[in-house]
Amino acid sequence: MRYVKKLAAIAVSALSVLSALFVSAENISNGVSPETVAAEIPYSSFYAGNGAELSQDVFDGISAAAYKNETGYIEAEFDIKTEGDYVVSVKYYPLEGKGRDIEFGLSIDGSPVGEESSNYSLPRTWKDDFAERKQDAQGNELRSSQSEVYKWKTVTLRSFEAISDSYSTVSLSEGRHTIRVEAFREPFAIAAFYIHSPETVEEYKRPAEKNNTVFSEKFEAENTYEKTQSTLYPTYDRTNASTSPNDPVKIRLNTIGKENWKTPGQSISWEITVPAAGYYCLGFKARQNFVRGISTNRRLYVNGEVPFSQALEISFPYSLNWYTKKFANDDGEPYLVYLNKGSNILTFEVVIGQIADSIKTIQSAVAELNGLYREIIMITGVSPDIYRDYYLEEEIPDFTERFTRLADTLENEAKEIRRLMENNGGETSTIDEIVYQMRDIAKKPETVTERLDRFKSNISTLSSWALNMVEQPLELDYIIVSGDSTLPDVEAGFIESLVYGVKGFIASFTEDYNSVGSANESDGAGVNLTVWVSNGRDQAQILKNLI
Protein backbone atom coordinates (compact mmCIF):
# COMPACT_ATOMS: atom_id res chain seq x y z
CA MET A 1 0.00 0.00 0.00
CA ARG A 2 2.91 2.29 0.82
CA TYR A 3 4.37 1.80 -2.68
CA VAL A 4 1.01 2.55 -4.29
CA LYS A 5 0.88 5.88 -2.43
CA LYS A 6 4.43 6.65 -3.50
CA LEU A 7 3.70 5.90 -7.15
CA ALA A 8 0.58 8.07 -6.96
CA ALA A 9 2.62 10.90 -5.47
CA ILE A 10 5.19 10.60 -8.28
CA ALA A 11 2.44 10.68 -10.89
CA VAL A 12 0.86 13.74 -9.32
CA SER A 13 4.27 15.39 -9.16
CA ALA A 14 4.77 14.76 -12.87
CA LEU A 15 1.45 16.40 -13.59
CA SER A 16 2.48 19.38 -11.45
CA VAL A 17 5.60 19.81 -13.57
CA LEU A 18 3.46 19.99 -16.69
CA SER A 19 1.05 22.38 -15.04
CA ALA A 20 3.94 24.65 -14.07
CA LEU A 21 4.58 25.22 -17.74
CA PHE A 22 1.10 26.66 -18.15
CA VAL A 23 0.64 29.04 -15.21
CA SER A 24 -2.92 30.30 -15.15
CA ALA A 25 -3.30 34.03 -14.73
CA GLU A 26 -6.71 33.36 -13.17
CA ASN A 27 -5.04 31.69 -10.19
CA ILE A 28 -2.61 34.53 -9.49
CA SER A 29 -3.40 37.94 -8.09
CA ASN A 30 -2.07 40.63 -5.76
CA GLY A 31 1.24 41.36 -7.44
CA VAL A 32 2.37 37.89 -8.68
CA SER A 33 2.90 38.17 -12.42
CA PRO A 34 2.59 34.91 -14.40
CA GLU A 35 5.74 35.70 -16.38
CA THR A 36 7.85 35.73 -13.18
CA VAL A 37 6.68 32.29 -11.98
CA ALA A 38 9.35 29.59 -12.17
CA ALA A 39 7.15 26.84 -10.72
CA GLU A 40 3.48 26.50 -9.82
CA ILE A 41 2.77 23.81 -7.22
CA PRO A 42 -0.98 23.06 -7.36
CA TYR A 43 -2.90 21.61 -4.43
CA SER A 44 -3.20 18.25 -6.20
CA SER A 45 0.59 17.79 -5.97
CA PHE A 46 0.64 17.62 -2.17
CA TYR A 47 0.49 14.45 -0.12
CA ALA A 48 0.12 14.23 3.66
CA GLY A 49 2.53 12.74 6.16
CA ASN A 50 2.89 12.11 9.88
CA GLY A 51 -0.83 12.35 10.66
CA ALA A 52 -1.71 15.45 8.65
CA GLU A 53 -5.30 15.63 7.41
CA LEU A 54 -5.47 16.75 3.78
CA SER A 55 -8.73 16.65 1.85
CA GLN A 56 -9.78 18.11 -1.50
CA ASP A 57 -12.85 20.29 -1.74
CA VAL A 58 -14.25 23.37 -3.46
CA PHE A 59 -14.15 26.69 -1.61
CA ASP A 60 -15.85 29.73 -3.03
CA GLY A 61 -15.82 28.17 -6.50
CA ILE A 62 -12.12 27.15 -6.48
CA SER A 63 -10.81 23.63 -5.94
CA ALA A 64 -8.23 23.30 -3.19
CA ALA A 65 -6.71 21.03 -0.56
CA ALA A 66 -7.88 21.67 3.01
CA TYR A 67 -5.20 21.31 5.69
CA LYS A 68 -7.45 21.06 8.72
CA ASN A 69 -5.40 19.76 11.63
CA GLU A 70 -2.39 21.25 13.38
CA THR A 71 -0.12 18.25 13.12
CA GLY A 72 2.07 16.48 10.60
CA TYR A 73 3.15 17.93 7.27
CA ILE A 74 2.29 18.01 3.59
CA GLU A 75 4.85 17.76 0.80
CA ALA A 76 5.11 18.17 -2.95
CA GLU A 77 7.83 18.09 -5.58
CA PHE A 78 8.50 20.71 -8.24
CA ASP A 79 11.10 21.49 -10.89
CA ILE A 80 13.19 24.62 -11.38
CA LYS A 81 14.62 25.28 -14.84
CA THR A 82 16.90 28.18 -13.99
CA GLU A 83 19.10 28.54 -10.92
CA GLY A 84 18.47 31.71 -8.94
CA ASP A 85 16.99 33.45 -5.92
CA TYR A 86 13.22 33.17 -5.61
CA VAL A 87 10.38 34.16 -3.31
CA VAL A 88 7.37 32.03 -2.42
CA SER A 89 3.71 33.00 -2.68
CA VAL A 90 0.65 31.04 -1.66
CA LYS A 91 -2.98 31.27 -2.71
CA TYR A 92 -5.01 30.30 0.35
CA TYR A 93 -8.49 30.31 1.83
CA PRO A 94 -8.86 30.57 5.62
CA LEU A 95 -11.14 27.97 7.14
CA GLU A 96 -13.29 28.43 10.19
CA GLY A 97 -11.20 28.25 13.34
CA LYS A 98 -10.53 30.30 16.45
CA GLY A 99 -10.12 33.59 14.61
CA ARG A 100 -6.34 33.77 14.94
CA ASP A 101 -3.83 34.20 12.14
CA ILE A 102 -2.77 31.04 10.33
CA GLU A 103 0.76 29.96 11.21
CA PHE A 104 2.88 27.32 9.52
CA GLY A 105 6.45 26.28 8.87
CA LEU A 106 7.90 26.13 5.37
CA SER A 107 11.03 24.42 4.10
CA ILE A 108 12.44 23.47 0.72
CA ASP A 109 14.76 20.46 0.50
CA GLY A 110 14.87 20.39 4.30
CA SER A 111 16.18 23.94 4.64
CA PRO A 112 14.12 26.88 5.90
CA VAL A 113 12.92 29.50 3.44
CA GLY A 114 14.52 32.77 4.52
CA GLU A 115 17.64 33.50 6.51
CA GLU A 116 16.10 34.28 9.89
CA SER A 117 13.12 31.97 10.31
CA SER A 118 10.96 29.44 8.50
CA ASN A 119 7.78 30.34 10.39
CA TYR A 120 5.10 32.24 8.51
CA SER A 121 1.76 33.81 9.21
CA LEU A 122 -1.22 34.25 6.90
CA PRO A 123 -3.69 36.96 7.92
CA ARG A 124 -7.42 36.55 8.11
CA THR A 125 -9.78 39.26 6.89
CA TRP A 126 -12.28 41.10 9.09
CA LYS A 127 -14.94 43.74 8.66
CA ASP A 128 -17.35 45.72 10.84
CA ASP A 129 -20.77 44.13 11.23
CA PHE A 130 -22.58 47.43 10.73
CA ALA A 131 -21.55 50.51 8.80
CA GLU A 132 -23.94 52.85 10.58
CA ARG A 133 -22.81 53.78 14.05
CA LYS A 134 -25.19 52.67 16.79
CA GLN A 135 -25.58 54.64 20.00
CA ASP A 136 -26.39 53.74 23.57
CA ALA A 137 -29.14 55.43 25.59
CA GLN A 138 -26.78 58.27 26.51
CA GLY A 139 -25.91 59.09 22.91
CA ASN A 140 -22.41 57.60 22.90
CA GLU A 141 -21.43 55.64 19.81
CA LEU A 142 -20.94 51.90 20.23
CA ARG A 143 -18.17 49.92 18.66
CA SER A 144 -19.28 47.47 15.99
CA SER A 145 -18.69 43.78 16.42
CA GLN A 146 -16.36 42.14 13.90
CA SER A 147 -17.06 39.36 11.43
CA GLU A 148 -14.56 37.35 9.44
CA VAL A 149 -14.62 37.57 5.66
CA TYR A 150 -13.82 34.24 4.05
CA LYS A 151 -12.21 34.80 0.67
CA TRP A 152 -9.24 33.77 -1.45
CA LYS A 153 -6.00 35.69 -1.00
CA THR A 154 -2.56 35.46 -2.61
CA VAL A 155 0.30 36.46 -0.32
CA THR A 156 4.04 36.57 -0.85
CA LEU A 157 5.65 35.10 2.25
CA ARG A 158 7.63 37.15 4.74
CA SER A 159 8.52 35.61 8.09
CA PHE A 160 6.68 37.21 10.99
CA GLU A 161 9.80 36.67 13.14
CA ALA A 162 12.14 38.46 10.73
CA ILE A 163 13.10 42.09 11.37
CA SER A 164 12.67 43.07 7.75
CA ASP A 165 10.16 44.48 5.29
CA SER A 166 11.55 42.32 2.48
CA TYR A 167 10.08 39.01 1.39
CA SER A 168 11.89 35.80 2.35
CA THR A 169 14.11 34.52 -0.45
CA VAL A 170 15.47 31.08 -1.19
CA SER A 171 18.30 30.06 -3.53
CA LEU A 172 17.32 27.15 -5.75
CA SER A 173 19.44 25.20 -8.19
CA GLU A 174 18.24 23.77 -11.46
CA GLY A 175 16.38 20.49 -11.03
CA ARG A 176 13.83 18.86 -8.75
CA HIS A 177 13.05 20.12 -5.24
CA THR A 178 10.70 19.23 -2.40
CA ILE A 179 8.55 21.73 -0.52
CA ARG A 180 7.20 20.90 2.94
CA VAL A 181 4.46 22.74 4.86
CA GLU A 182 3.88 22.11 8.57
CA ALA A 183 0.75 23.65 10.07
CA PHE A 184 1.18 25.14 13.55
CA ARG A 185 -2.09 26.97 14.10
CA GLU A 186 -5.50 27.27 12.45
CA PRO A 187 -6.85 25.39 9.40
CA PHE A 188 -6.65 26.69 5.82
CA ALA A 189 -7.09 25.55 2.23
CA ILE A 190 -4.35 25.75 -0.38
CA ALA A 191 -4.96 26.30 -4.08
CA ALA A 192 -1.29 26.58 -5.06
CA PHE A 193 2.19 27.68 -4.07
CA TYR A 194 4.20 29.78 -6.51
CA ILE A 195 7.98 29.92 -6.74
CA HIS A 196 8.76 33.13 -8.59
CA SER A 197 11.25 35.93 -9.05
CA PRO A 198 10.89 38.92 -6.70
CA GLU A 199 8.61 41.59 -8.10
CA THR A 200 10.23 44.95 -8.80
CA VAL A 201 8.45 48.22 -8.10
CA GLU A 202 9.27 51.05 -10.47
CA GLU A 203 10.28 54.55 -9.38
CA TYR A 204 7.66 57.27 -9.53
CA LYS A 205 7.29 59.04 -12.87
CA ARG A 206 5.14 62.11 -13.01
CA PRO A 207 2.32 61.45 -15.50
CA ALA A 208 2.15 63.64 -18.59
CA GLU A 209 -1.62 63.91 -18.45
CA LYS A 210 -3.34 65.95 -15.78
CA ASN A 211 -6.55 65.22 -13.96
CA ASN A 212 -9.13 67.78 -15.06
CA THR A 213 -11.67 66.64 -12.47
CA VAL A 214 -12.41 69.21 -9.79
CA PHE A 215 -12.71 66.85 -6.88
CA SER A 216 -11.79 66.86 -3.21
CA GLU A 217 -13.28 64.43 -0.76
CA LYS A 218 -12.63 63.44 2.83
CA PHE A 219 -12.98 59.74 3.71
CA GLU A 220 -13.27 58.93 7.40
CA ALA A 221 -10.53 56.49 8.43
CA GLU A 222 -12.71 54.78 11.03
CA ASN A 223 -15.06 53.61 8.25
CA THR A 224 -12.93 50.72 7.10
CA TYR A 225 -13.50 48.33 4.23
CA GLU A 226 -11.45 45.43 5.59
CA LYS A 227 -8.71 44.78 8.12
CA THR A 228 -6.35 41.92 8.96
CA GLN A 229 -7.21 41.71 12.66
CA SER A 230 -10.41 42.11 14.64
CA THR A 231 -8.58 44.35 17.14
CA LEU A 232 -8.29 47.10 14.51
CA TYR A 233 -11.54 48.70 15.56
CA PRO A 234 -12.50 52.40 15.56
CA THR A 235 -11.28 54.50 18.47
CA TYR A 236 -12.12 58.01 19.62
CA ASP A 237 -10.39 61.30 20.36
CA ARG A 238 -12.38 63.93 22.23
CA THR A 239 -9.42 66.19 23.04
CA ASN A 240 -9.37 68.23 19.84
CA ALA A 241 -11.97 70.30 18.04
CA SER A 242 -10.50 69.41 14.65
CA THR A 243 -11.21 65.68 14.73
CA SER A 244 -13.95 64.54 12.40
CA PRO A 245 -16.66 63.94 13.42
CA ASN A 246 -16.47 65.31 16.95
CA ASP A 247 -18.59 66.08 19.94
CA PRO A 248 -17.30 67.81 23.09
CA VAL A 249 -19.59 65.73 25.28
CA LYS A 250 -20.52 62.42 23.65
CA ILE A 251 -18.20 59.69 22.43
CA ARG A 252 -17.80 59.65 18.67
CA LEU A 253 -15.74 56.85 17.12
CA ASN A 254 -13.75 59.18 14.89
CA THR A 255 -10.25 57.69 14.57
CA ILE A 256 -8.57 54.33 14.08
CA GLY A 257 -5.24 52.80 14.96
CA LYS A 258 -3.31 53.95 18.02
CA GLU A 259 -1.50 51.16 19.89
CA ASN A 260 -3.66 48.48 18.25
CA TRP A 261 -2.11 49.19 14.85
CA LYS A 262 1.61 48.78 15.42
CA THR A 263 2.66 45.25 14.49
CA PRO A 264 4.45 44.81 11.13
CA GLY A 265 2.13 43.12 8.64
CA GLN A 266 -1.13 44.51 10.05
CA SER A 267 -3.16 46.34 7.42
CA ILE A 268 -6.35 48.35 7.08
CA SER A 269 -8.22 48.96 3.82
CA TRP A 270 -10.68 51.68 2.81
CA GLU A 271 -13.04 51.94 -0.13
CA ILE A 272 -12.42 55.20 -1.98
CA THR A 273 -14.87 56.36 -4.65
CA VAL A 274 -13.93 58.95 -7.27
CA PRO A 275 -16.10 60.37 -10.09
CA ALA A 276 -13.61 59.83 -12.92
CA ALA A 277 -10.52 57.78 -13.69
CA GLY A 278 -7.32 59.76 -13.37
CA TYR A 279 -4.47 60.88 -11.14
CA TYR A 280 -5.19 62.13 -7.63
CA CYS A 281 -3.28 63.54 -4.67
CA LEU A 282 -3.53 61.79 -1.32
CA GLY A 283 -3.34 63.25 2.16
CA PHE A 284 -3.73 61.70 5.59
CA LYS A 285 -4.74 63.42 8.79
CA ALA A 286 -2.59 61.60 11.30
CA ARG A 287 -1.09 61.70 14.76
CA GLN A 288 1.94 59.76 15.90
CA ASN A 289 2.43 60.61 19.56
CA PHE A 290 3.34 57.12 20.72
CA VAL A 291 7.04 56.59 19.82
CA ARG A 292 8.90 59.74 20.79
CA GLY A 293 11.25 61.25 18.25
CA ILE A 294 10.84 58.54 15.61
CA SER A 295 8.76 58.27 12.45
CA THR A 296 6.50 55.26 12.08
CA ASN A 297 5.90 53.82 8.62
CA ARG A 298 3.16 52.49 6.36
CA ARG A 299 3.16 50.86 2.91
CA LEU A 300 0.47 51.99 0.48
CA TYR A 301 -1.39 49.61 -1.81
CA VAL A 302 -3.85 50.83 -4.43
CA ASN A 303 -6.23 48.11 -5.60
CA GLY A 304 -3.86 45.44 -4.29
CA GLU A 305 -0.62 46.78 -5.78
CA VAL A 306 2.11 49.17 -4.67
CA PRO A 307 1.87 51.95 -7.30
CA PHE A 308 5.59 52.91 -7.22
CA SER A 309 8.63 52.53 -4.98
CA GLN A 310 7.97 55.75 -3.03
CA ALA A 311 4.81 54.07 -1.67
CA LEU A 312 6.81 51.23 -0.12
CA GLU A 313 7.54 53.36 2.92
CA ILE A 314 5.53 56.44 3.92
CA SER A 315 6.85 58.00 7.12
CA PHE A 316 4.71 59.70 9.74
CA PRO A 317 6.84 61.88 12.05
CA TYR A 318 6.36 62.12 15.79
CA SER A 319 4.02 64.91 16.90
CA LEU A 320 1.79 65.54 19.88
CA ASN A 321 -0.75 67.22 17.61
CA TRP A 322 -2.77 66.21 14.57
CA TYR A 323 -1.27 67.10 11.18
CA THR A 324 -1.87 66.49 7.49
CA LYS A 325 0.65 64.16 5.89
CA LYS A 326 0.75 64.93 2.18
CA PHE A 327 1.95 62.04 0.06
CA ALA A 328 4.73 64.03 -1.60
CA ASN A 329 8.49 64.20 -2.13
CA ASP A 330 10.93 66.18 0.01
CA ASP A 331 10.24 69.31 -2.04
CA GLY A 332 6.51 69.10 -1.34
CA GLU A 333 5.59 68.04 -4.88
CA PRO A 334 2.71 65.54 -4.50
CA TYR A 335 2.89 62.02 -5.87
CA LEU A 336 -0.05 61.46 -8.21
CA VAL A 337 -1.80 58.11 -7.76
CA TYR A 338 -3.98 56.64 -10.49
CA LEU A 339 -7.50 55.71 -9.40
CA ASN A 340 -10.20 54.01 -11.42
CA LYS A 341 -13.62 55.53 -11.86
CA GLY A 342 -15.89 54.43 -9.06
CA SER A 343 -14.68 52.20 -6.27
CA ASN A 344 -10.98 51.80 -5.36
CA ILE A 345 -9.38 50.00 -2.42
CA LEU A 346 -6.59 51.79 -0.55
CA THR A 347 -4.61 49.76 1.95
CA PHE A 348 -2.09 50.82 4.60
CA GLU A 349 0.26 48.08 5.86
CA VAL A 350 2.54 48.45 8.88
CA VAL A 351 6.23 48.27 7.91
CA ILE A 352 9.37 48.84 9.97
CA GLY A 353 11.15 51.12 7.53
CA GLN A 354 14.79 52.15 7.35
CA ILE A 355 15.44 51.41 11.00
CA ALA A 356 15.00 47.67 10.36
CA ASP A 357 18.65 47.08 9.46
CA SER A 358 19.84 48.83 12.62
CA ILE A 359 17.46 46.81 14.80
CA LYS A 360 18.61 43.59 13.16
CA THR A 361 22.26 44.47 13.83
CA ILE A 362 21.50 45.39 17.45
CA GLN A 363 19.65 42.13 18.04
CA SER A 364 22.61 40.24 16.61
CA ALA A 365 24.89 42.15 18.99
CA VAL A 366 22.57 41.31 21.90
CA ALA A 367 22.89 37.61 21.04
CA GLU A 368 26.68 37.93 21.11
CA LEU A 369 26.58 39.82 24.40
CA ASN A 370 24.43 37.10 25.95
CA GLY A 371 26.99 34.54 24.82
CA LEU A 372 29.79 36.62 26.29
CA TYR A 373 27.88 36.95 29.57
CA ARG A 374 27.47 33.17 29.77
CA GLU A 375 31.21 32.67 29.20
CA ILE A 376 31.91 35.06 32.06
CA ILE A 377 29.60 33.38 34.59
CA MET A 378 31.00 29.97 33.63
CA ILE A 379 34.20 31.22 35.24
CA THR A 380 32.96 33.60 37.92
CA GLY A 381 29.55 32.18 38.76
CA VAL A 382 26.45 34.35 39.00
CA SER A 383 27.64 35.85 42.32
CA PRO A 384 31.36 36.45 41.88
CA ASP A 385 33.78 37.54 44.59
CA ILE A 386 34.33 41.24 43.89
CA TYR A 387 37.74 41.11 45.65
CA ARG A 388 39.10 38.42 43.38
CA ASP A 389 40.71 38.83 39.97
CA TYR A 390 39.49 36.04 37.68
CA TYR A 391 41.88 37.03 34.84
CA LEU A 392 39.01 36.94 32.36
CA GLU A 393 41.12 38.54 29.61
CA GLU A 394 43.29 35.42 29.75
CA GLU A 395 40.58 32.82 30.32
CA ILE A 396 38.21 34.04 27.59
CA PRO A 397 39.64 34.26 24.07
CA ASP A 398 39.69 37.78 22.57
CA PHE A 399 37.95 39.15 25.65
CA THR A 400 38.83 42.84 25.26
CA GLU A 401 38.68 42.70 21.45
CA ARG A 402 35.12 41.34 21.51
CA PHE A 403 33.96 44.00 23.95
CA THR A 404 35.55 46.72 21.82
CA ARG A 405 34.15 45.37 18.56
CA LEU A 406 30.61 45.08 19.91
CA ALA A 407 30.85 48.55 21.44
CA ASP A 408 31.89 49.94 18.04
CA THR A 409 28.99 48.15 16.35
CA LEU A 410 26.41 49.47 18.80
CA GLU A 411 27.84 52.99 18.69
CA ASN A 412 27.64 53.06 14.87
CA GLU A 413 24.02 51.88 14.96
CA ALA A 414 23.17 54.52 17.56
CA LYS A 415 24.55 57.19 15.22
CA GLU A 416 22.48 55.80 12.35
CA ILE A 417 19.31 55.76 14.45
CA ARG A 418 19.88 59.35 15.55
CA ARG A 419 20.29 60.29 11.90
CA LEU A 420 16.88 58.81 11.13
CA MET A 421 15.25 60.62 14.03
CA GLU A 422 13.78 64.09 13.91
CA ASN A 423 15.83 65.13 16.92
CA ASN A 424 18.85 63.98 18.90
CA GLY A 425 17.00 63.28 22.11
CA GLY A 426 17.55 60.46 24.55
CA GLU A 427 16.02 57.69 22.43
CA THR A 428 19.43 55.97 22.12
CA SER A 429 20.41 56.45 25.77
CA THR A 430 20.02 52.69 26.35
CA ILE A 431 22.64 52.00 23.69
CA ASP A 432 24.90 54.80 24.89
CA GLU A 433 24.93 53.44 28.45
CA ILE A 434 25.92 49.89 27.53
CA VAL A 435 28.52 51.16 25.04
CA TYR A 436 30.15 53.24 27.80
CA GLN A 437 30.14 50.24 30.14
CA MET A 438 31.61 47.90 27.52
CA ARG A 439 34.45 50.27 26.66
CA ASP A 440 35.27 50.68 30.33
CA ILE A 441 35.27 46.89 30.85
CA ALA A 442 37.59 46.49 27.86
CA LYS A 443 40.03 48.91 29.52
CA LYS A 444 39.66 47.45 33.03
CA PRO A 445 38.65 43.76 32.77
CA GLU A 446 39.15 43.24 36.49
CA THR A 447 36.08 45.41 37.20
CA VAL A 448 33.67 42.95 35.57
CA THR A 449 32.89 41.15 38.82
CA GLU A 450 31.55 44.25 40.58
CA ARG A 451 29.43 45.35 37.61
CA LEU A 452 28.23 41.96 36.36
CA ASP A 453 24.63 42.48 37.52
CA ARG A 454 24.49 45.87 35.82
CA PHE A 455 25.96 44.38 32.65
CA LYS A 456 23.26 41.68 32.61
CA SER A 457 20.54 44.28 33.24
CA ASN A 458 21.82 46.47 30.39
CA ILE A 459 21.71 43.54 27.98
CA SER A 460 18.10 42.80 28.93
CA THR A 461 17.16 46.46 28.63
CA LEU A 462 18.79 46.71 25.21
CA SER A 463 16.96 43.61 24.02
CA SER A 464 13.60 45.01 25.17
CA TRP A 465 14.39 48.38 23.59
CA ALA A 466 15.09 46.72 20.22
CA LEU A 467 11.79 44.83 20.34
CA ASN A 468 9.89 48.02 21.19
CA MET A 469 11.50 49.85 18.27
CA VAL A 470 9.91 47.36 15.88
CA GLU A 471 6.46 48.62 16.88
CA GLN A 472 4.96 51.23 14.54
CA PRO A 473 1.80 52.78 16.10
CA LEU A 474 -0.21 55.40 14.22
CA GLU A 475 -3.62 57.06 14.54
CA LEU A 476 -5.62 58.24 11.52
CA ASP A 477 -8.59 60.59 11.44
CA TYR A 478 -9.39 60.73 7.73
CA ILE A 479 -7.99 60.36 4.21
CA ILE A 480 -8.13 63.19 1.68
CA VAL A 481 -8.38 62.49 -2.04
CA SER A 482 -8.04 65.56 -4.22
CA GLY A 483 -7.84 66.36 -7.91
CA ASP A 484 -5.27 69.07 -7.18
CA SER A 485 -2.40 69.51 -4.75
CA THR A 486 -4.26 71.67 -2.20
CA LEU A 487 -5.20 70.01 1.08
CA PRO A 488 -7.37 71.51 3.83
CA ASP A 489 -5.92 72.79 7.09
CA VAL A 490 -6.48 70.33 9.92
CA GLU A 491 -6.11 72.83 12.76
CA ALA A 492 -9.26 74.18 14.37
CA GLY A 493 -9.52 77.96 14.68
CA PHE A 494 -9.21 79.78 17.99
CA ILE A 495 -12.95 80.49 18.33
CA GLU A 496 -13.86 76.92 17.34
CA SER A 497 -11.43 75.46 19.87
CA LEU A 498 -12.63 77.84 22.58
CA VAL A 499 -16.30 76.96 22.06
CA TYR A 500 -15.43 73.26 21.97
CA GLY A 501 -13.54 73.49 25.25
CA VAL A 502 -16.24 75.51 27.00
CA LYS A 503 -18.93 73.00 25.99
CA GLY A 504 -16.83 70.14 27.29
CA PHE A 505 -16.14 71.99 30.56
CA ILE A 506 -19.83 72.70 31.18
CA ALA A 507 -20.77 69.10 30.34
CA SER A 508 -18.30 67.81 32.92
CA PHE A 509 -20.71 68.99 35.63
CA THR A 510 -23.76 67.30 34.13
CA GLU A 511 -22.58 64.31 32.09
CA ASP A 512 -22.20 60.91 33.74
CA TYR A 513 -18.96 59.58 32.24
CA ASN A 514 -18.87 56.56 34.54
CA SER A 515 -22.07 54.97 33.22
CA VAL A 516 -22.30 52.82 30.10
CA GLY A 517 -26.03 52.21 30.29
CA SER A 518 -29.28 53.71 31.49
CA ALA A 519 -32.46 52.56 33.14
CA ASN A 520 -34.31 54.23 30.27
CA GLU A 521 -32.62 52.03 27.70
CA SER A 522 -35.15 49.92 25.87
CA ASP A 523 -33.52 46.57 25.27
CA GLY A 524 -36.50 44.34 25.79
CA ALA A 525 -35.40 43.20 29.24
CA GLY A 526 -37.56 43.65 32.28
CA VAL A 527 -34.73 43.87 34.82
CA ASN A 528 -32.11 46.61 35.17
CA LEU A 529 -28.80 45.72 36.80
CA THR A 530 -26.29 48.04 38.39
CA VAL A 531 -22.77 46.65 38.14
CA TRP A 532 -19.56 48.26 39.42
CA VAL A 533 -16.33 47.35 37.61
CA SER A 534 -12.80 48.55 38.25
CA ASN A 535 -11.75 48.27 34.61
CA GLY A 536 -12.01 50.88 31.88
CA ARG A 537 -15.04 51.93 29.87
CA ASP A 538 -14.32 49.55 26.98
CA GLN A 539 -14.21 46.52 29.28
CA ALA A 540 -17.40 47.66 31.00
CA GLN A 541 -19.15 47.98 27.63
CA ILE A 542 -18.09 44.45 26.67
CA LEU A 543 -19.47 43.16 29.96
CA LYS A 544 -22.74 45.02 29.36
CA ASN A 545 -23.05 43.48 25.88
CA LEU A 546 -22.59 40.01 27.37
CA ILE A 547 -25.30 40.64 29.95
Side-chain angles (χ1 to χ4, degrees), residues 52 312 330:
L312 289 170
D330 294 337

PDB file of all heavy atoms in Angstrom, residues 52 312 330:
ATOM      1  N   ALA A  52      -1.031  14.266   9.169  1.00  0.00           N
ATOM      2  CA  ALA A  52      -1.715  15.451   8.654  1.00  0.00           C
ATOM      3  C   ALA A  52      -2.996  15.055   7.930  1.00  0.00           C
ATOM      4  O   ALA A  52      -3.044  14.028   7.251  1.00  0.00           O
ATOM      5  CB  ALA A  52      -0.800  16.212   7.708  1.00  0.00           C
ATOM      6  N   LEU A 312       6.392  52.354  -0.946  1.00  0.00           N
ATOM      7  CA  LEU A 312       6.810  51.230  -0.122  1.00  0.00           C
ATOM      8  C   LEU A 312       6.986  51.626   1.335  1.00  0.00           C
ATOM      9  O   LEU A 312       6.857  50.801   2.236  1.00  0.00           O
ATOM     10  CB  LEU A 312       8.124  50.649  -0.656  1.00  0.00           C
ATOM     11  CG  LEU A 312       8.045  49.893  -1.977  1.00  0.00           C
ATOM     12  CD1 LEU A 312       9.437  49.596  -2.503  1.00  0.00           C
ATOM     13  CD2 LEU A 312       7.247  48.602  -1.814  1.00  0.00           C
ATOM     14  N   ASP A 330      10.334  65.280  -0.981  1.00  0.00           N
ATOM     15  CA  ASP A 330      10.930  66.185   0.007  1.00  0.00           C
ATOM     16  C   ASP A 330      10.715  67.653  -0.344  1.00  0.00           C
ATOM     17  O   ASP A 330      10.767  68.518   0.541  1.00  0.00           O
ATOM     18  CB  ASP A 330      12.429  65.904   0.136  1.00  0.00           C
ATOM     19  CG  ASP A 330      12.705  64.523   0.729  1.00  0.00           C
ATOM     20  OD1 ASP A 330      11.808  64.000   1.415  1.00  0.00           O
ATOM     21  OD2 ASP A 330      13.802  63.974   0.497  1.00  0.00           O
TER      22      ASP A 330
END
